[in-house]
């Protein structure tokens, strides 16, 4: 013991400080050394360069293994925590001081324990074992081949995911493309996606149990082989097939104005450049023939979206919202599949009219399908495509109905054929109304009785029935000066042409000197002799029914029914708004974490007879046939992916995609 203390006194101050530092910083390493098998320890030391000091260390290690290992391990396992740390760290000090190999092992352990105790009193931080840390688990293979754990908290809010195996290699494809792969392939448990953000390099997300592209998996539902109500298969005859996508891509300006809605998202996935690349990959993957976009920011459209879509083979039309708004709607089509007949931008704003003082817009295009030359002399009817974004305000259902009436009137004008019928119509967009709401039923059923209805009930977005004051819809909903009838048609479309108007002669007009009501005495009329006591005499040869028969021809083609609006476009929804396999409603957006459907694709279809009455909910394919659609997701699935937007879906809406077929007829 005395010899050991003298050795410490003869050590230089720097060497003593180094010995104390090594005792502390190698404490956890020695824990693993003490717990490891002899073969592991020998293997670790064998990797170090050999020399005289290394040979002495191996000799001392062998001596410790033969004489003192059992005593030290029993002391470390049975003693207090501080004794464990001191006993396990003493081996490192012994290896740092090979000059003491001649002393007895018992003296060395006691002197080291005394020195370590003094060193611990001078250190500012306690040993890790004294802090209550859990011991490191035993690992197989190389001693220091531990896998580094990702502890960066900045991705903690990107998804709620259980701890699993970490990724050891990167995906070869971009994660946004993998999210929309056609055929899902199981990903090994040890692999996880690596997210790349601009300016931050490759960052490893937390490990997860199910990959994102499997959580957000959307199936393609094929209807092309299903017979219709009459038992005929749509594929029996030649068809012109095309796909149409409707997508609210979330304007960057609107996202920044309502930043409180996106607190659950990491800032990097909200960056426009990251979102733009994801959106373009989504367009490129699904490759629709017609693309209808909402919330398209004007500068992003002209600088990035339009050039990129033009390189993908699209011809684009854009309509910015009126006023000071910076976003709008766009309709893009492939000129190799369609030829443009006309394009009509629609503005809902009307100066001086309080009902229509909002800046929402729409676009209506009339496209002529191009039939391949191999089919010979055949023709396809024109296709009318309408895209819009209706006002969001849940309280102003009257504004929503008026905006929709203007759009339907424009569609009626563009799609009307020479014989008075309509060509196939597709109406899509963000309508800010839920399924089975009055506005939704009006589009699908073609009729709505609105008089006295609370304005908030029109869209069904929120329930304001608890409020004392509720705006109610009055008839007529819009003034006649708007130029639109209650049948959602322009007034000029209802009246006959000037050349077809009847010319009235004098004899015809003289027949209206008397009418049936003139021969009846009004109730409460004061009797005055010579004035009100006589009864008009009916002219000879004037029949009672002449007036009714003749005047019926003078009534306008669309009479105005008080409190009711109608349209005759026969539209139905591509989606059923319910997931039967999951027993949950479909979701297209998740504002504030609440899933709902506000995006739609309506198309022309014919109503079916249901017994003795016509049920507007039942349709059969007409000239335009639905061949397939991309399935939507439920609220629970989107919650598992941390809502919208997320690293794969770069908008707060899901895209809608449908495939259609049009009859090809001979001339």
């Amino acid at each position: 013991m005395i010899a050991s203390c003298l050795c410490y006194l003869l050590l230089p101050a720097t060497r003593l400080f180094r010995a104390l530092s090594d005792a502390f910083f190698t404490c956890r390493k020695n824990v693993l050394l003490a717990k490891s098998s002899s073969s592991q320890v020998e293997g670790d030391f064998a990797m170090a360069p050999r020399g005289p000091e290394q040979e002495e260390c191996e000799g001392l290690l062998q001596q410790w293994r033969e004489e003192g290992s059992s005593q030290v391990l029993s002391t470390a396992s049975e003693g207090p925590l501080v004794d464990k740390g001191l006993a396990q760290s003493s081996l490192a000090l012994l290896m740092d001081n090979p000059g003491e190999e001649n002393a007895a092992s018992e003296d060395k352990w006691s002197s080291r324990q005394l020195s370590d105790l003094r060193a611990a009193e001078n250190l500012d931080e306690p040993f890790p074992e004294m802090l209550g840390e859990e011991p490191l688990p035993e690992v197989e293979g190389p001693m220091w081949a531990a896998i580094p754990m990702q502890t960066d908290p900045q991705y903690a809010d990107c998804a709620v995911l259980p701890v699993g195996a970490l990724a050891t290699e990167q995906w070869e494809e971009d994660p946004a493309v993998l999210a929309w792969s056609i055929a899902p392939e199981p990903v090994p448990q040890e692999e996880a996606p690596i997210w790349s953000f601009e300016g931050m390099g490759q960052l490893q997300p937390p490990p997860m149990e199910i990959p994102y592209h499997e959580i957000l998996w959307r199936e393609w539902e094929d209807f092309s082989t299903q017979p219709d109500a009459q038992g005929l298969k749509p594929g029996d005859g030649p068809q012109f097939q095309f796909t149409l996508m409707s997508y609210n891509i979330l304007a960057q300006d609107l996202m920044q104005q309502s930043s409180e809605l996106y607190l659950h998202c990491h800032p990097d996935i909200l960056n426009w450049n990251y979102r733009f690349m994801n959106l373009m990959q989504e367009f490129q993957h699904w490759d629709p023939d017609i693309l209808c976009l909402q919330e398209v920011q004007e500068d992003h459209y002209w600088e990035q979206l339009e050039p990129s879509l033009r390189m993908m083979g699209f011809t684009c039309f854009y309509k910015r919202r009126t006023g000071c708004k910076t976003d709008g709607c766009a309709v893009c089509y492939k000129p190799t599949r369609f030829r443009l007949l006309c394009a009509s931008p629609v503005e809902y704003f009307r100066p001086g009219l309080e009902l229509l003082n909002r800046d929402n817009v729409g676009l209506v295009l009339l496209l002529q399908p191009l039939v391949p030359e191999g089919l010979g002399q055949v023709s396809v009817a024109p296709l009318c495509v309408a895209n819009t974004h209706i006002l969001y305000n849940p309280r102003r259902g009257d504004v929503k109905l008026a905006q929709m009436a203007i759009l339907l009137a424009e569609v009626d004008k563009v799609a009307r054929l020479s014989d008075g019928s309509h060509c196939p119509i597709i109406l899509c967009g963000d309508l800010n109304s839920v399924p089975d709401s009055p506005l939704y039923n009006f589009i699908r059923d073609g009729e709505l009785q609105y008089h006295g209805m609370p304005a908030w009930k029109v869209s069904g977005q929120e329930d304001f029935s608890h409020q004392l004051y509720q705006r109610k819809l009055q008839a007529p909903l819009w003034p006649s000066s708007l130029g639109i009838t209650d049948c959602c048609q322009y007034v000029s479309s209802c009246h006959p042409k000037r050349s077809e108007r009847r010319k009235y002669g004098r004899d015809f007009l003289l027949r209206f000197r008397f009418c049936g009501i003139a021969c009846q005495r009004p109730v409460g009329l004061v009797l005055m002799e010579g004035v009100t006591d006589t009864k008009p005499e009916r002219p000879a040869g004037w029949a009672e029914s002449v007036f009714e028969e003749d005047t019926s021809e003078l009534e306008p083609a669309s009479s105005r029914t008080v409190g009711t609006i109608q349209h005759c476009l026969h539209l139905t929804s591509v989606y059923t708004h319910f997931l039967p396999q999951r027993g949950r409603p479909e979701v297209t957006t998740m504002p504030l974490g609440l899933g709902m459907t506000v995006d739609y694709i309506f198309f022309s279809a014919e109503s079916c007879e249901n017994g003795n009455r016509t049920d507007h909910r039942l349709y059969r394919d007409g000239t335009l046939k639905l061949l397939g659609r991309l399935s939507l997701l439920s609220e629970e699935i989107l919650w598992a992916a941390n809502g919208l937007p997320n690293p794969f879906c770069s908008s707060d809406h899901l895209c809608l995609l449908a495939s259609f077929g049009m009859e090809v007829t001979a001339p």
Side-chain angles (χ1 to χ4, degrees):
M1 176 68 71
I2 298 176
S4 179
C5 294
L6 291 176
C7 290
Y8 269 104
L9 294 176
L10 295 177
L11 286 174
T14 57
R15 185 173 181 182
L16 179 60
F17 179 79
R18 183 174 64 85
L20 295 177
S21 301
D22 292 342
F24 173 71
F25 289 108
T26 60
C27 179
R28 188 172 292 275
K29 177 179 177 181
N30 291 328
V31 173
L32 293 176
L33 285 173
K35 292 184 178 181
S36 302
S37 62
S38 60
S39 60
Q40 289 176 327
V41 176
E42 291 176 357
D44 292 336
F45 278 96
M47 297 176 62
R50 300 182 61 85
E53 295 183 358
Q54 181 65 22
E55 295 177 357
E56 295 176 0
C57 292
E58 293 181 358
L60 291 175
L61 180 62
Q62 182 66 24
Q63 180 181 358
W64 168 79
R65 192 181 295 117
E66 296 175 355
E67 300 178 359
S69 60
S70 60
Q71 177 183 354
V72 173
L73 291 177
S74 61
T75 305
S77 60
E78 299 175 1
L81 291 175
V82 63
D83 292 337
K84 282 186 181 182
L86 295 176
Q88 294 170 350
S89 63
S90 58
L91 178 61
L93 284 177
L94 180 62
M95 303 305 295
D96 289 339
N97 299 278
E100 301 181 5
E101 59 184 358
N102 297 327
S105 60
E106 293 82 5
D107 294 341
K108 291 181 181 186
W109 290 118
S110 60
S111 62
R112 292 301 177 266
Q113 292 176 0
L114 179 61
S115 302
D116 289 345
L117 182 60
R118 293 174 180 174
E121 294 176 354
N122 297 329
L123 292 176
D124 296 334
E125 299 180 4
F127 288 102
E129 285 77 3
M130 300 177 65
L131 295 177
E133 295 185 0
E134 297 181 1
L136 292 177
E138 296 185 6
V139 294
E140 298 179 359
M143 194 61 162
W144 308 110
I147 300 177
M149 298 297 294
Q150 177 71 12
T151 58
D152 194 350
Q154 60 181 339
Y155 294 100
D157 56 350
C158 285
V160 182
L161 302 169
V163 176
L166 288 174
T168 57
E169 60 183 8
Q170 301 179 5
W171 283 353
E172 296 180 358
E173 299 185 51
D174 190 89
V177 176
L178 290 178
W180 309 105
S181 57
I182 294 296
E185 297 181 358
V187 178
Q189 182 68 20
E190 64 273 10
E191 295 185 2
I194 295 181
W195 303 337
S196 59
F197 300 108
E198 184 178 359
M200 298 186 65
Q202 298 288 343
L203 300 178
Q204 174 67 47
M208 54 187 175
E209 188 177 55
I210 304 176
Y212 264 115
H213 71 281
E214 293 186 8
I215 294 177
L216 301 178
W217 177 251
R218 300 176 63 182
E219 298 180 352
W220 179 259
E221 302 175 4
D222 188 6
F223 305 139
S224 59
T225 59
Q226 297 181 5
D228 59 9
Q230 298 179 350
L232 300 177
K233 293 184 179 180
D236 290 343
Q239 287 183 331
F240 176 83
Q241 298 183 6
F242 65 95
T243 56
L244 180 142
M245 175 184 285
S246 179
Y247 203 173
N248 184 326
I249 63 174
L250 179 59
Q252 195 74 10
D253 287 349
L254 298 180
M255 182 189 68
Q256 294 174 357
Q257 293 173 10
S258 304
S259 57
E260 67 279 358
L261 301 178
Y262 311 99
L263 297 178
H264 64 285
C265 303
H266 190 274
D268 288 313
I269 70 173
L270 298 179
N271 181 274
W272 166 247
N273 291 328
Y274 176 82
R275 295 178 53 232
F276 169 72
M277 294 303 299
N278 265 7
L279 293 171
M280 293 306 302
Q281 289 170 356
E282 202 167 346
F283 299 155
Q284 187 175 8
H285 175 77
W286 294 118
D287 193 25
D289 298 307
I290 302 175
L291 185 60
C292 299
L293 303 177
Q294 305 91 40
E295 287 195 23
V296 182
Q297 192 164 309
E298 185 177 26
D299 56 341
H300 292 162
Y301 172 79
W302 293 113
E303 296 173 6
Q304 294 174 285
L305 283 169
E306 196 275 340
S308 300
L309 291 173
R310 187 172 65 250
M311 293 179 61
M312 292 174 59
F314 286 97
T315 297
C316 305
F317 285 84
Y318 177 75
K319 175 58 182 176
R320 183 181 64 84
R321 285 202 290 169
T322 55
C324 300
K325 304 300 186 296
T326 60
D327 67 290
C329 297
V331 176
C332 312
Y333 68 93
K334 289 186 176 180
T336 57
R337 304 298 312 281
F338 298 93
R339 176 170 56 89
L340 180 68
L341 298 180
C342 70
S344 300
V346 182
E347 296 182 357
Y348 301 138
F349 178 81
R350 296 293 189 273
L353 188 57
E354 192 272 339
L355 180 66
L356 292 168
N357 59 355
R358 306 305 171 94
D359 297 312
N360 303 83
V361 296
L363 264 175
V364 181
L365 268 63
L366 187 62
L367 303 174
Q368 176 63 53
L370 300 178
V371 182
E373 297 180 356
L375 295 180
Q377 297 294 329
V378 295
S379 62
V380 182
L383 175 67
C384 179
V385 179
N387 179 32
T388 188
H389 190 181
I390 296 299
L391 175 71
Y392 166 76
N393 191 343
R395 303 173 184 269
R396 296 305 305 271
D398 52 344
V399 178
K400 296 173 187 282
L401 283 177
Q403 291 181 350
M404 181 54 61
I406 295 176
L407 180 68
L408 293 176
E410 188 68 25
V411 170
D412 175 83
K413 183 186 72 172
V414 172
R416 184 179 293 274
L417 301 176
S418 58
D419 58 355
S421 61
H422 295 89
C423 67
I425 299 169
I426 296 180
L427 189 154
C428 59
D430 184 352
L431 305 185
N432 279 313
S433 302
V434 301
D436 290 328
S437 63
L439 178 59
Y440 175 89
N441 292 335
F442 167 60
I443 299 174
R444 184 194 60 190
D445 300 338
E447 184 176 355
L448 175 64
Q449 296 181 359
Y450 63 87
H451 182 65
M453 179 183 297
W456 61 265
K457 188 177 290 188
V458 171
S459 63
Q461 295 167 278
E462 298 182 36
D463 186 358
F464 297 99
S465 58
H466 59 280
Q467 296 185 353
L468 296 178
Y469 171 75
Q470 299 182 18
R471 181 193 300 266
K472 294 187 177 181
L473 305 185
Q474 302 296 327
L477 185 59
W478 55 80
S480 58
S481 60
L482 186 61
I484 296 178
T485 68
D486 283 344
C487 289
C488 297
Q489 296 176 336
Y490 288 118
V491 174
S492 58
S493 302
C494 301
H495 289 280
K497 297 180 180 180
R498 183 176 299 274
S499 59
E500 299 176 356
R501 291 183 178 180
R502 180 177 298 182
K503 297 180 179 179
Y504 303 110
R506 180 176 180 275
D507 295 337
F508 177 80
L509 295 176
L510 288 177
R511 298 168 61 183
F512 293 92
R513 289 179 298 175
F514 299 96
C515 58
I517 193 65
C519 299
Q520 299 178 7
R521 183 181 181 85
V523 179
L525 181 64
V526 178
L527 181 59
M528 299 178 63
E529 186 178 355
V531 179
T532 60
D533 59 347
T534 60
K535 182 179 181 179
E537 296 181 359
R538 186 180 302 275
W542 185 62
E544 186 75 24
S545 60
V546 171
F547 179 78
E548 287 77 5
E549 292 176 357
D550 292 343
T551 55
S552 60
E553 300 177 1
L554 300 178
E555 295 179 0
S558 298
S559 60
R560 189 169 178 119
T561 305
V562 178
T564 302
I565 54 177
Q566 301 172 340
H567 73 82
C568 56
L569 301 181
H570 306 291
L571 302 174
T572 187
S573 176
V574 165
Y575 290 90
T576 59
H577 318 303
F578 190 77
L579 300 171
Q581 66 275 17
R582 296 184 176 272
R584 296 287 187 273
E586 296 174 336
V587 168
T588 65
T589 185
M590 288 190 66
L592 297 175
L594 179 63
M596 63 174 57
T597 295
V598 297
D599 305 276
Y600 303 93
I601 298 178
F602 291 95
F603 69 102
S604 299
E606 299 178 3
S607 59
C608 298
E609 295 291 335
N610 184 17
N612 296 327
R613 65 185 182 88
T614 301
D615 190 347
H616 294 285
R617 294 174 180 268
L618 300 178
Y619 290 88
R620 65 170 179 264
D621 291 330
T623 306
L624 192 63
K625 298 177 175 61
L626 177 63
L627 302 181
R629 66 191 178 197
L630 182 64
S631 65
L632 292 172
L633 301 174
S634 65
E635 181 179 345
E636 290 78 4
I637 294 178
L638 291 177
W639 265 114
N642 201 38
L644 295 173
N646 55 53
F648 288 115
C649 299
S650 289
S651 174
D652 57 351
H653 293 247
L654 294 176
C655 71
L656 278 63
L657 183 69
S659 175
F660 298 94
M662 298 180 65
E663 294 180 353
V664 177
T665 59

